[in-house]
Amino acid sequence: MPARESLLDAAGAALARRPWSRVRMVDVAAGAGFSRQTLYNEFGSKEGLARALLRRETDGYLRGVDRALAQEREPAERLAAVAAWTVGAARANALVRAALTGCWGERLPVPSRVAGSTSSVPAQRRADAGTPSSAELLGLVRDRAVAALGGRGRDPELALACESALRLALSYIVAPARDDDDPAELVRGAIGRWVAGR
């Protein structure tokens, strides 16, 4: 496994055990079997490591969105699959939940949104430099859904339906739900009516 992935795995494991403020770079490096210098060469700083960890988790979430949208099913079913994936991913991963909702707890690293970086790490190695805000992440998902469902150009009705499906899923993330609540079913009902009217 490449050093970068091993270091990110070690950072994720450290974050699962303690708040980010108590995660030490030396412990992350040792946990991955690399020197602290290798860690700094790869990420530049603890903040760079946090951005890279968040970027990896949000990229994984977006790959799941793409898989849900690629299914050979009706549009409402694909949006329901995105809603179910969104809720499941957010419940299973605190970083994904924070990235989607913008609600960062004290245990999590809060990435800075600095436009320019003063890091000495080469730009091509800083794929983590631009971590999306929650609004940007939701916009990415909405735009992917519109494209996957055949929206050509600007289809405001389709964009609204996709955004509504995402907002319904987010409501399941931030509000307590009963065990029998199903976000996919809610999206099927709401979006199914829209699809039938097209």
Side-chain angles (χ1 to χ4, degrees):
M1 180 181 296
R4 185 175 185 85
E5 287 304 309
S6 295
L7 291 164
L8 288 172
D9 288 346
L15 181 59
R17 291 188 305 272
R18 64 183 71 90
W20 186 252
S21 62
R22 292 186 34 223
V23 170
R24 298 179 332 146
M25 296 290 272
V26 67
D27 296 333
V28 170
F34 290 95
S35 70
R36 192 169 54 158
Q37 186 60 51
T38 299
L39 178 62
Y40 280 102
N41 288 346
E42 194 65 43
F43 301 104
S45 65
K46 187 175 178 182
E47 184 178 296
L49 177 61
R51 283 193 309 270
L53 186 59
L54 177 60
R55 173 57 94 181
R56 181 175 78 163
E57 299 308 315
T58 56
D59 285 350
Y61 163 72
L62 289 171
R63 283 191 298 276
V65 166
D66 290 339
R67 283 190 302 272
L69 290 169
Q71 297 173 6
E72 293 293 327
R73 297 165 80 178
E74 294 298 316
E77 287 299 315
R78 293 194 298 184
L79 286 176
V82 169
W85 166 251
T86 296
V87 171
R91 287 182 176 167
N93 187 316
L95 285 173
V96 170
R97 182 174 49 254
L100 285 167
T101 64
C103 299
W104 297 90
E106 60 189 37
R107 291 189 53 86
L108 300 175
V110 180
S112 68
R113 305 260 316 140
V114 178
S117 175
T118 58
S119 172
S120 61
V121 177
Q124 70 270 21
R125 296 180 70 196
R126 284 189 286 115
D128 53 288
T131 53
S133 68
S134 58
E136 290 166 336
L137 185 57
L138 292 173
L140 285 171
V141 176
R142 180 201 58 227
D143 294 347
R144 287 174 183 216
V146 168
L149 299 177
R152 290 186 169 51
R154 293 187 160 220
D155 185 341
E157 289 181 24
L158 180 57
L160 181 60
C162 293
E163 181 124 1
S164 297
L166 287 170
R167 299 238 176 253
L168 287 169
L170 286 180
S171 70
Y172 275 80
I173 296 168
V174 297
R178 298 185 326 239
D179 287 340
D180 61 341
D181 283 344
D182 180 8
E185 192 59 38
L186 183 61
V187 168
R188 273 186 207 98
I191 304 305
R193 287 189 292 277
W194 170 80
V195 170
R198 283 198 89 172

